[in-house]
Amino acid sequence: MTDSADRAIIAHLRRDGRATVAQIAADVSLSPAAVSRRLARLERSGVIRGYTAIIDDTRVGGLEAFIEIRMLGAVDAEQLADLARGIPQILEFYNVAGDPDLLVRLRVDDREELAGVVNQLRRTGLIAGTKTLIVLNSWIRT
Amino acid sequence: MTDSADRAIIAHLRRDGRATVAQIAADVSLSPAAVSRRLARLERSGVIRGYTAIIDDTRVGGLEAFIEIRMLGAVDAEQLADLARGIPQILEFYNVAGDPDLLVRLRVDDREELAGVVNQLRRTGLIAGTKTLIVLNSWIRT
DNA sequence: CTTGAAAATCGTTCCAC
DNA sequence: GTGGAACGATTTTCAAG
Protein backbone atom coordinates (compact mmCIF):
# COMPACT_ATOMS: atom_id res chain seq x y z
CA MET A 1 0.00 0.00 0.00
CA THR A 2 2.98 2.32 0.60
CA ASP A 3 6.05 1.63 -1.48
CA SER A 4 9.42 3.34 -1.30
CA ALA A 5 8.26 6.22 -3.49
CA ASP A 6 5.42 6.90 -1.07
CA ARG A 7 7.82 6.87 1.84
CA ALA A 8 10.08 9.33 0.04
CA ILE A 9 7.12 11.63 -0.54
CA ILE A 10 6.15 11.34 3.12
CA ALA A 11 9.69 12.07 4.28
CA HIS A 12 9.79 15.15 2.11
CA LEU A 13 6.48 16.44 3.43
CA ARG A 14 7.58 15.77 6.97
CA ARG A 15 10.49 18.14 6.41
CA ASP A 16 8.44 20.69 4.48
CA GLY A 17 4.71 20.40 4.69
CA ARG A 18 4.21 23.14 2.13
CA ALA A 19 6.55 21.73 -0.48
CA THR A 20 5.11 22.01 -3.98
CA VAL A 21 4.30 18.93 -6.01
CA ALA A 22 7.05 19.93 -8.44
CA GLN A 23 9.64 20.06 -5.65
CA ILE A 24 8.63 16.66 -4.35
CA ALA A 25 8.60 15.20 -7.84
CA ALA A 26 12.17 16.34 -8.48
CA ASP A 27 13.24 14.91 -5.14
CA VAL A 28 11.72 11.47 -5.63
CA SER A 29 12.35 11.20 -9.38
CA LEU A 30 8.74 11.00 -10.46
CA SER A 31 6.59 13.22 -12.63
CA PRO A 32 4.49 15.90 -10.94
CA ALA A 33 1.40 14.15 -12.20
CA ALA A 34 2.41 10.91 -10.49
CA VAL A 35 3.19 12.71 -7.23
CA SER A 36 -0.15 14.49 -7.37
CA ARG A 37 -1.97 11.19 -7.72
CA ARG A 38 0.00 9.51 -4.95
CA LEU A 39 -0.56 12.47 -2.64
CA ALA A 40 -4.30 12.32 -3.19
CA ARG A 41 -4.28 8.61 -2.38
CA LEU A 42 -2.14 9.00 0.74
CA GLU A 43 -4.44 11.71 2.03
CA ARG A 44 -7.62 9.83 1.26
CA SER A 45 -6.37 6.63 2.85
CA GLY A 46 -5.38 8.47 6.02
CA VAL A 47 -1.66 7.79 5.95
CA ILE A 48 -1.26 11.55 5.74
CA ARG A 49 -3.58 12.83 8.45
CA GLY A 50 -3.14 16.47 7.65
CA TYR A 51 -0.71 19.34 7.61
CA THR A 52 0.13 21.93 10.19
CA ALA A 53 2.27 24.97 10.75
CA ILE A 54 4.97 24.71 13.39
CA ILE A 55 4.49 27.74 15.61
CA ASP A 56 6.92 29.23 18.12
CA ASP A 57 4.41 29.27 20.95
CA THR A 58 6.64 31.35 23.17
CA ARG A 59 6.14 34.24 20.74
CA VAL A 60 2.38 34.25 20.42
CA GLY A 61 1.67 34.63 24.09
CA GLY A 62 0.40 31.18 24.89
CA LEU A 63 1.62 28.48 27.21
CA GLU A 64 2.65 25.05 26.05
CA ALA A 65 2.69 22.01 28.31
CA PHE A 66 2.75 18.25 28.50
CA ILE A 67 0.67 16.29 30.96
CA GLU A 68 1.69 12.77 31.88
CA ILE A 69 -1.27 10.64 32.93
CA ARG A 70 -1.39 7.40 34.89
CA MET A 71 -4.63 5.52 34.40
CA LEU A 72 -6.60 3.60 36.95
CA GLY A 73 -6.32 -0.15 36.52
CA ALA A 74 -9.60 -1.02 34.88
CA VAL A 75 -9.66 1.92 32.48
CA ASP A 76 -9.22 1.60 28.74
CA ALA A 77 -6.94 4.05 26.97
CA GLU A 78 -9.62 4.53 24.31
CA GLN A 79 -11.97 6.07 26.85
CA LEU A 80 -9.41 8.68 27.76
CA ALA A 81 -8.48 9.28 24.13
CA ASP A 82 -12.10 10.14 23.41
CA LEU A 83 -12.37 12.32 26.50
CA ALA A 84 -9.22 14.19 25.54
CA ARG A 85 -10.67 14.87 22.11
CA GLY A 86 -13.36 16.84 23.84
CA ILE A 87 -10.82 19.14 25.46
CA PRO A 88 -9.89 21.57 22.73
CA GLN A 89 -6.67 22.69 24.37
CA ILE A 90 -5.23 19.20 23.93
CA LEU A 91 -3.48 19.09 20.58
CA GLU A 92 -1.82 15.68 20.68
CA PHE A 93 -2.58 12.48 22.55
CA TYR A 94 -0.11 9.59 22.97
CA ASN A 95 -0.79 6.21 24.45
CA VAL A 96 2.68 5.01 25.46
CA ALA A 97 4.34 1.88 26.80
CA GLY A 98 6.03 2.79 30.05
CA ASP A 99 5.20 4.88 33.06
CA PRO A 100 3.13 7.07 32.56
CA ASP A 101 0.45 5.45 30.40
CA LEU A 102 -0.53 8.55 28.48
CA LEU A 103 1.11 11.75 27.37
CA VAL A 104 -0.76 14.77 26.02
CA ARG A 105 0.55 17.99 24.54
CA LEU A 106 -1.53 21.10 24.94
CA ARG A 107 -1.63 24.84 24.44
CA VAL A 108 -3.40 27.29 26.72
CA ASP A 109 -3.55 31.04 27.06
CA ASP A 110 -2.45 31.20 30.71
CA ARG A 111 -1.91 29.22 33.92
CA GLU A 112 -5.57 29.37 34.92
CA GLU A 113 -6.59 27.69 31.71
CA LEU A 114 -3.91 25.07 32.31
CA ALA A 115 -5.26 24.43 35.77
CA GLY A 116 -8.72 24.04 34.25
CA VAL A 117 -7.53 21.37 31.84
CA VAL A 118 -5.78 19.43 34.60
CA ASN A 119 -8.90 19.55 36.75
CA GLN A 120 -11.05 18.50 33.83
CA LEU A 121 -8.85 15.45 33.41
CA ARG A 122 -8.83 14.53 37.09
CA ARG A 123 -12.58 14.95 37.41
CA THR A 124 -13.12 12.17 34.88
CA GLY A 125 -12.39 9.72 37.69
CA LEU A 126 -10.47 7.57 35.23
CA ILE A 127 -6.95 8.56 36.18
CA ALA A 128 -4.68 7.78 39.09
CA GLY A 129 -2.52 10.87 38.78
CA THR A 130 -1.04 13.52 36.55
CA LYS A 131 2.28 15.29 36.20
CA THR A 132 2.48 18.55 34.31
CA LEU A 133 5.55 19.71 32.41
CA ILE A 134 5.49 23.34 31.31
CA VAL A 135 7.54 24.04 28.20
CA LEU A 136 10.18 26.70 28.78
CA ASN A 137 11.92 26.40 25.45
CA SER A 138 11.85 24.09 22.48
CA TRP A 139 12.97 23.44 19.00
CA ILE A 140 11.46 21.38 16.22
CA ARG A 141 13.43 20.03 13.33
CA THR A 142 12.31 21.62 10.08
CA MET B 1 4.18 42.43 16.52
CA THR B 2 1.36 39.92 16.12
CA ASP B 3 -2.12 41.42 16.04
CA SER B 4 -5.42 39.59 15.93
CA ALA B 5 -5.24 39.13 12.17
CA ASP B 6 -1.88 37.42 12.54
CA ARG B 7 -3.28 35.15 15.21
CA ALA B 8 -6.21 34.25 12.97
CA ILE B 9 -3.80 33.36 10.17
CA ILE B 10 -1.73 31.26 12.56
CA ALA B 11 -4.81 29.49 13.87
CA HIS B 12 -5.86 28.67 10.34
CA LEU B 13 -2.44 27.32 9.41
CA ARG B 14 -2.35 25.27 12.60
CA ARG B 15 -5.51 23.53 11.45
CA ASP B 16 -4.42 23.24 7.82
CA GLY B 17 -0.78 23.85 7.08
CA ARG B 18 -1.36 23.57 3.35
CA ALA B 19 -4.23 26.04 3.20
CA THR B 20 -3.90 28.37 0.24
CA VAL B 21 -3.45 32.09 0.69
CA ALA B 22 -6.85 32.59 -0.89
CA GLN B 23 -8.51 30.28 1.64
CA ILE B 24 -6.87 32.00 4.56
CA ALA B 25 -7.76 35.41 3.17
CA ALA B 26 -11.43 34.47 2.94
CA ASP B 27 -11.32 33.16 6.50
CA VAL B 28 -9.73 36.21 8.06
CA SER B 29 -11.45 38.82 5.86
CA LEU B 30 -8.34 40.18 4.20
CA SER B 31 -7.14 40.25 0.64
CA PRO B 32 -4.81 37.49 -0.58
CA ALA B 33 -2.15 40.13 -1.04
CA ALA B 34 -2.33 41.19 2.59
CA VAL B 35 -2.22 37.61 3.80
CA SER B 36 0.76 36.91 1.58
CA ARG B 37 2.66 39.85 3.07
CA ARG B 38 1.79 38.88 6.63
CA LEU B 39 2.76 35.27 6.01
CA ALA B 40 6.15 36.29 4.69
CA ARG B 41 6.72 38.42 7.76
CA LEU B 42 5.63 35.71 10.20
CA GLU B 43 7.93 33.20 8.52
CA ARG B 44 10.89 35.55 8.36
CA SER B 45 10.54 36.59 11.99
CA GLY B 46 10.40 32.96 13.12
CA VAL B 47 6.90 32.97 14.60
CA ILE B 48 6.08 30.34 11.98
CA ARG B 49 8.99 27.92 12.22
CA GLY B 50 7.93 25.70 9.35
CA TYR B 51 5.30 23.31 8.12
CA THR B 52 4.97 19.58 8.36
CA ALA B 53 2.74 16.71 7.36
CA ILE B 54 1.00 14.82 10.14
CA ILE B 55 1.69 11.16 9.44
CA ASP B 56 -0.06 8.10 10.85
CA ASP B 57 3.15 6.43 11.97
CA THR B 58 1.45 3.16 12.72
CA ARG B 59 0.88 2.76 8.98
CA VAL B 60 4.35 3.49 7.64
CA GLY B 61 6.32 1.05 9.76
CA GLY B 62 8.39 3.29 11.98
CA LEU B 63 8.63 3.55 15.75
CA GLU B 64 7.83 6.73 17.61
CA ALA B 65 9.04 7.44 21.15
CA PHE B 66 9.58 10.08 23.78
CA ILE B 67 12.67 10.17 25.97
CA GLU B 68 12.57 12.00 29.27
CA ILE B 69 15.97 13.29 30.33
CA ARG B 70 17.24 14.37 33.72
CA MET B 71 20.33 16.52 33.48
CA LEU B 72 23.34 16.51 35.75
CA GLY B 73 23.47 19.51 38.03
CA ALA B 74 26.06 21.67 36.38
CA VAL B 75 24.83 21.12 32.83
CA ASP B 76 23.15 23.80 30.75
CA ALA B 77 20.07 22.87 28.75
CA GLU B 78 21.54 24.65 25.74
CA GLN B 79 24.39 22.17 25.56
CA LEU B 80 21.96 19.29 25.33
CA ALA B 81 19.75 21.13 22.88
CA ASP B 82 22.71 21.47 20.54
CA LEU B 83 23.72 17.86 21.05
CA ALA B 84 20.20 16.68 20.31
CA ARG B 85 20.23 18.65 17.07
CA GLY B 86 23.06 16.42 15.96
CA ILE B 87 20.95 13.30 16.39
CA PRO B 88 18.76 13.22 13.30
CA GLN B 89 16.20 10.84 14.78
CA ILE B 90 15.22 13.50 17.32
CA LEU B 91 12.43 15.56 15.82
CA GLU B 92 11.44 17.78 18.72
CA PHE B 93 13.26 19.00 21.82
CA TYR B 94 11.53 20.50 24.87
CA ASN B 95 13.14 22.11 27.86
CA VAL B 96 10.46 21.84 30.53
CA ALA B 97 9.82 23.00 34.05
CA GLY B 98 9.27 19.95 36.21
CA ASP B 99 10.83 16.54 36.52
CA PRO B 100 12.28 15.55 33.99
CA ASP B 101 14.21 18.55 32.70
CA LEU B 102 14.01 17.67 29.04
CA LEU B 103 11.64 15.82 26.76
CA VAL B 104 12.46 14.76 23.22
CA ARG B 105 10.25 13.21 20.58
CA LEU B 106 11.85 10.94 18.04
CA ARG B 107 11.19 8.52 15.21
CA VAL B 108 13.29 5.45 14.43
CA ASP B 109 12.98 2.49 12.12
CA ASP B 110 13.27 -0.20 14.82
CA ARG B 111 14.18 -0.93 18.42
CA GLU B 112 17.89 -1.23 17.68
CA GLU B 113 17.95 2.28 16.32
CA LEU B 114 16.07 3.45 19.39
CA ALA B 115 18.64 1.81 21.64
CA GLY B 116 21.36 3.57 19.67
CA VAL B 117 19.81 6.96 20.27
CA VAL B 118 19.44 6.31 24.00
CA ASN B 119 23.07 5.24 24.23
CA GLN B 120 24.18 8.24 22.23
CA LEU B 121 22.45 10.46 24.77
CA ARG B 122 23.87 8.67 27.81
CA ARG B 123 27.38 8.67 26.40
CA THR B 124 27.40 12.47 26.40
CA GLY B 125 28.06 12.31 30.12
CA LEU B 126 25.73 15.25 30.60
CA ILE B 127 22.67 13.42 31.81
CA ALA B 128 21.71 11.78 35.07
CA GLY B 129 19.15 9.41 33.60
CA THR B 130 16.61 8.72 30.88
CA LYS B 131 13.17 7.20 30.65
CA THR B 132 11.86 6.03 27.31
CA LEU B 133 8.18 6.01 26.38
CA ILE B 134 7.32 4.09 23.23
CA VAL B 135 4.24 5.35 21.44
CA LEU B 136 1.62 2.64 20.99
CA ASN B 137 -1.12 4.82 19.60
CA SER B 138 -1.77 8.50 19.13
CA TRP B 139 -3.94 11.14 17.64
CA ILE B 140 -3.24 14.70 16.63
CA ARG B 141 -5.91 17.34 16.32
CA THR B 142 -6.21 18.47 12.72
C1' DC C 1 4.15 4.26 -15.07
C1' DT C 2 5.44 8.23 -18.53
C1' DT C 3 5.18 12.92 -21.38
C1' DG C 4 2.82 17.02 -23.02
C1' DA C 5 -0.55 20.38 -23.00
C1' DA C 6 -4.66 22.71 -21.60
C1' DA C 7 -7.39 24.98 -18.09
C1' DA C 8 -8.04 26.49 -13.63
C1' DT C 9 -6.13 28.09 -9.55
C1' DC C 10 -2.75 30.27 -6.83
C1' DG C 11 1.13 33.45 -5.13
C1' DT C 12 3.68 37.50 -5.64
C1' DT C 13 4.59 41.99 -7.14
C1' DC C 14 3.33 46.59 -8.35
C1' DC C 15 0.56 50.51 -7.93
C1' DA C 16 -2.78 53.56 -6.01
C1' DC C 17 -5.30 54.61 -1.87
C1' DG D 1 -1.20 49.46 6.80
C1' DT D 2 -5.01 48.14 2.75
C1' DG D 3 -7.17 46.09 -1.89
C1' DG D 4 -7.14 45.26 -7.26
C1' DA D 5 -5.00 43.89 -11.29
C1' DA D 6 -1.42 41.66 -13.79
C1' DC D 7 1.88 38.24 -14.49
C1' DG D 8 4.27 34.05 -13.71
C1' DA D 9 4.21 29.72 -11.55
C1' DT D 10 1.74 25.71 -9.97
C1' DT D 11 -1.72 22.17 -9.70
C1' DT D 12 -4.77 19.17 -11.78
C1' DT D 13 -6.83 16.82 -15.40
C1' DC D 14 -6.83 15.10 -19.82
C1' DA D 15 -5.14 12.31 -23.90
C1' DA D 16 -1.95 9.09 -25.72
C1' DG D 17 2.05 5.92 -25.47
Side-chain angles (χ1 to χ4, degrees):
Chain A
M1 207 65 178
T2 64
D3 59 8
S4 74
D6 283 343
R7 283 191 292 274
I9 292 170
I10 289 170
H12 195 111
L13 282 170
R14 231 195 263 274
R15 287 193 305 275
D16 179 9
R18 266 180 104 80
T20 66
V21 171
Q23 288 170 335
I24 301 169
D27 187 29
V28 305
S29 301
L30 281 180
S31 69
V35 172
S36 184
R37 265 177 279 122
R38 282 167 178 271
L39 254 185
R41 181 172 49 77
L42 289 168
E43 290 169 357
R44 254 188 302 103
S45 69
V47 175
I48 296 177
R49 295 200 273 205
Y51 304 90
T52 191
I54 303 166
I55 304 301
D56 186 345
D57 288 295
T58 66
R59 299 183 53 179
V60 358
L63 208 57
E64 192 180 354
F66 287 89
I67 303 179
E68 302 180 355
I69 301 172
R70 279 155 204 79
M71 293 190 294
L72 287 172
V75 177
D76 184 17
E78 283 301 317
Q79 297 177 53
L80 268 159
D82 289 342
L83 269 163
R85 267 189 200 282
I87 302 177
Q89 291 93 345
I90 294 180
L91 303 177
E92 304 174 11
F93 178 95
Y94 299 93
N95 180 17
V96 297
D99 174 28
D101 305 301
L102 308 173
L103 187 65
V104 301
R105 191 171 84 86
L106 56 98
R107 240 186 63 79
V108 291
D109 287 338
D110 49 39
R111 288 182 301 274
E112 295 152 38
E113 194 179 353
L114 176 57
V117 172
V118 174
N119 282 330
Q120 210 169 336
L121 285 170
R122 306 186 69 112
R123 264 190 271 107
T124 62
L126 300 175
I127 67 188
T130 65
K131 181 158 82 177
T132 300
L133 307 172
I134 294 177
V135 175
L136 303 174
N137 227 316
S138 67
W139 60 253
I140 293 180
R141 201 177 294 282
T142 51
Chain B
M1 207 66 176
T2 61
D3 60 7
S4 74
D6 283 342
R7 283 190 292 274
I9 291 171
I10 289 169
H12 195 110
L13 281 170
R14 232 195 262 275
R15 287 193 306 274
D16 179 10
R18 261 180 108 80
T20 66
V21 170
Q23 288 170 335
I24 301 169
D27 186 29
V28 304
S29 300
L30 281 178
S31 71
V35 172
S36 183
R37 279 190 298 267
R38 283 168 177 269
L39 253 185
R41 181 172 49 77
L42 289 168
E43 290 170 357
R44 253 188 305 104
S45 70
V47 175
I48 296 178
R49 296 201 272 204
Y51 304 89
T52 191
I54 303 167
I55 304 301
D56 186 346
D57 288 295
T58 66
R59 297 182 53 180
V60 37
L63 208 56
E64 193 180 355
F66 287 89
I67 303 180
E68 301 180 358
I69 301 172
R70 277 154 205 81
M71 292 190 294
L72 287 171
V75 176
D76 184 16
E78 284 301 318
Q79 297 178 51
L80 268 158
D82 289 341
L83 269 164
R85 268 190 199 283
I87 302 176
Q89 291 92 346
I90 295 180
L91 304 176
E92 303 174 12
F93 178 95
Y94 298 93
N95 181 15
V96 298
D99 174 27
D101 306 300
L102 308 172
L103 187 66
V104 302
R105 191 171 85 84
L106 56 97
R107 242 186 62 79
V108 291
D109 287 337
D110 49 40
R111 287 182 302 275
E112 295 153 37
E113 194 179 354
L114 175 57
V117 172
V118 174
N119 283 331
Q120 210 169 338
L121 286 170
R122 308 186 69 115
R123 266 191 269 107
T124 63
L126 300 174
I127 67 186
T130 65
K131 182 158 82 176
T132 301
L133 306 173
I134 294 177
V135 175
L136 303 173
N137 227 317
S138 68
W139 59 252
I140 293 180
R141 200 178 295 281
T142 51

